[in-house]
Amino acid sequence: MFEALWDDRVRTAMKQFSAGAFLTSAHDGVVNTMTISWGTLGILWGKPIWQVVVRPQRYTMPLIDGSGEFTISIPEKDMAQALAWCGSRSGRDGDKLADCGLVAQPGRVTKTPVIAGGGVHFECRVVHRQQFDATVMSPTLNQTIYPGNDHHIQFFGEIVAWYGD
Ligand SMILES: Cc1cc2nc3c(=O)[nH]c(=O)nc-3n(C[C@H](O)[C@H](O)[C@H](O)COP(=O)(O)O)c2cc1C
């Protein structure tokens, strides 16, 4: 399964990941998406895994904890405006999908939708989570990235489906 993951479309999408992707979560009737640009795609425990990092104050965090799922949609076309909006507003304060005219397309395997619109999608089930530990982190990294002591939660999601629009 892991070899099959590295097709040309996924390779191209990964080049675009650092420009921003949608991390979508859904729980208890709420659907939310936030922008991410940090994360890793690789293999752990013999499984294809996306590891994403979410600060504890994000509205996204309890939604992923509640459902045990997330999806990632990496746009292939220019969605810079929507990525900027979803990366600077919280779903706590309103429906960002509606604000941006984003369409939540039902997931194929999970209950969490993907963001429609010319991209590559990954559906993930959380198999592990943990918070970065300041006591074993490089002091420079700790001071630079976490002056507010809000260390990211790492969510490790097993990829149970991936496809393009
Ligand atoms: C390009 C970009 C990348 C971002 N990457 C992350 C990330 O990897 N992890 C994170 O916690 N926040 C990241 N953010 C910030 C969140 O997207 C932002 O705080 C968002 O408003 C959280 O939404 P929520 O409260 O609805 O979950 C990023 C923002 C931008 C613009």
Side-chain angles (χ1 to χ4, degrees):
M1 182 186 184
F2 186 69
E3 289 73 21
L5 186 60
W6 291 106
D7 64 17
D8 287 346
R9 199 154 180 196
V10 170
R11 285 178 196 277
T12 304
M14 287 310 292
K15 288 183 192 160
Q16 297 174 25
F17 179 68
S18 62
F22 297 102
L23 172 66
T24 305
S25 51
H27 183 55
D28 261 353
V30 174
V31 175
N32 187 48
T33 196
M34 68 171 249
T35 303
I36 57 167
S37 58
W38 290 357
T40 54
L41 174 64
I43 189 159
L44 274 172
W45 311 294
K47 301 171 188 297
I49 298 280
W50 256 110
Q51 181 241 172
V52 293
V53 295
V54 178
R55 292 194 195 249
Q57 64 268 39
R58 310 295 187 231
Y59 186 52
T60 295
M61 194 206 72
L63 297 178
I64 296 178
D65 274 335
S67 67
E69 300 176 349
F70 60 85
T71 68
I72 295 173
S73 299
I74 306 179
E76 290 172 322
K77 61 174 196 179
D78 181 11
M79 295 180 83
Q81 271 193 316
L83 287 166
W85 185 272
C86 295
S88 57
R89 266 91 177 163
S90 178
R92 242 181 236 108
D93 304 322
D95 182 346
K96 288 189 271 186
L97 281 86
D99 293 342
C100 299
L102 296 174
V103 175
Q105 180 178 301
R108 292 188 185 174
V109 174
T110 66
K111 293 185 177 135
T112 304
V114 300
I115 301 298
V120 174
H121 310 291
F122 300 86
E123 299 183 27
C124 303
R125 284 210 184 100
V126 176
V127 290
H128 183 50
R129 96 196 269 288
Q130 64 186 15
Q131 189 164 27
F132 284 128
D133 180 351
T135 65
V136 288
M137 182 176 282
S138 131
T140 308
L141 193 59
N142 194 37
Q143 284 152 22
T144 311
I145 309 288
Y146 302 108
N149 208 32
D150 55 347
H151 295 80
H152 285 101
I153 312 290
Q154 292 174 281
F155 287 104
F156 295 84
E158 178 178 358
I159 300 166
V160 293
W162 76 94
Y163 43 90
D165 275 315

